[in-house]
Amino acid sequence: MADRVTVIGWDGTPPSPAARAALDAATLVAGAPRHLEAAEVPEAAERVPLGSVERAVERIVVHRGSAVVFSDGDPGFFGVLRALRDPRHGLEVEVIPAVSAVSIAFARAGMPWEDARVVTANRRTLRRAVNVCRAHPKVAVLTSPGAGPAELALLLGEELRTFVICEAPGTGGERVTVLTSDRVARHRWTDPNVTIVVGAPGTPTTPLTGRGGPTGTSATP
């Protein structure tokens, strides 16, 4: 069993002193390929891609030493923390959070979000996410390949909404685009992204303009 597991939230900013110290001491580092490429991982540390969270957790459980796990944004917000804290594993977990991708997306859009619903979408849960978008006037969707903005828009059909799509939030490639849902499927979108779906059921969509952060670029192509 790993002696200690530190989960570090990733939002594109330099690591805090606590995160840097944990990373320097790590003998195993797990994360998405972009995390492992961007972070200064110790040369001797084992690298574990987070393609499958379950398999990565299994590897961490049997590891002897200090492990670091990178997770986008706040690890406790639709992140890897739930899997690591499964009582079956008995892991001692410390969390160093960062700004969540959802928080970044709303900030870039300049929108309050205490009244928003937040859901995840993958190929299995896509229709459920669409139903939430149909039922509520403000929904943030954490998308995945095959269940992204285009698929959401296609399933919404003629129920028009305004989409605020934040691609690669918190990175140098971040882009924020505002479109009505009938135009979203014409474009390709970069993963990961957060899609904010706005519009009360049965009412016209409300155009949004402007940007809420220095790295965001609004567009209405």
Side-chain angles (χ1 to χ4, degrees):
M1 179 184 301
D3 300 329
R4 182 180 63 182
V5 180
T6 303
V7 186
I8 300 175
W10 181 276
D11 61 8
T13 60
S16 66
R20 183 71 261 170
L23 185 58
D24 289 343
T27 53
L28 179 151
V29 179
R34 62 183 181 280
H35 300 148
L36 299 178
E37 291 174 7
E40 296 180 10
V41 178
E43 290 186 6
E46 178 184 352
R47 295 173 179 237
V48 178
L50 268 181
S52 167
V53 172
E54 291 78 12
R55 290 181 182 176
V57 171
E58 289 174 1
R59 180 68 194 93
I60 292 166
V61 168
V62 299
H63 179 73
R64 295 302 303 269
S66 297
V68 160
V69 181
F70 282 106
S71 176
D72 285 327
D74 185 340
F77 189 71
F78 291 104
V80 70
L81 183 57
R82 183 179 298 278
L84 288 169
R85 290 303 305 269
D86 189 313
R88 294 176 302 164
H89 305 317
L91 293 172
E92 180 181 345
V93 181
E94 177 185 1
V95 180
I96 303 174
V99 179
S100 72
V102 172
S103 179
I104 291 174
F106 277 109
R108 299 295 186 254
M111 298 170 62
W113 62 290
E114 71 275 2
D115 56 341
R117 296 295 181 101
V118 181
V119 297
T120 61
N122 53 44
R123 296 178 191 275
R124 181 174 53 84
T125 63
L126 177 60
R127 290 189 178 276
R128 185 186 310 164
V130 170
N131 288 336
V132 175
C133 294
R134 287 192 175 110
H136 299 279
K138 186 187 295 182
V139 181
V141 185
L142 289 154
T143 67
S144 61
E151 289 81 7
L152 288 168
L154 287 171
L155 285 179
L156 277 171
E158 296 181 358
E159 298 185 50
L160 286 180
R161 299 289 190 274
T162 295
F163 276 38
V164 183
I165 302 162
C166 185
E167 301 170 88
T171 73
E174 181 181 290
R175 177 178 173 83
V176 179
T177 306
V178 183
L179 285 174
T180 51
S181 55
D182 58 328
R183 302 170 68 187
V184 170
R186 304 175 193 175
H187 302 269
R188 285 191 172 186
W189 305 101
T190 302
D191 291 311
N193 69 70
V194 176
T195 299
I196 302 172
V197 181
V198 184
T203 64
T205 59
T206 303
L208 302 170
T209 58
R211 67 188 187 191
T215 61
T217 55
S218 276
T220 54

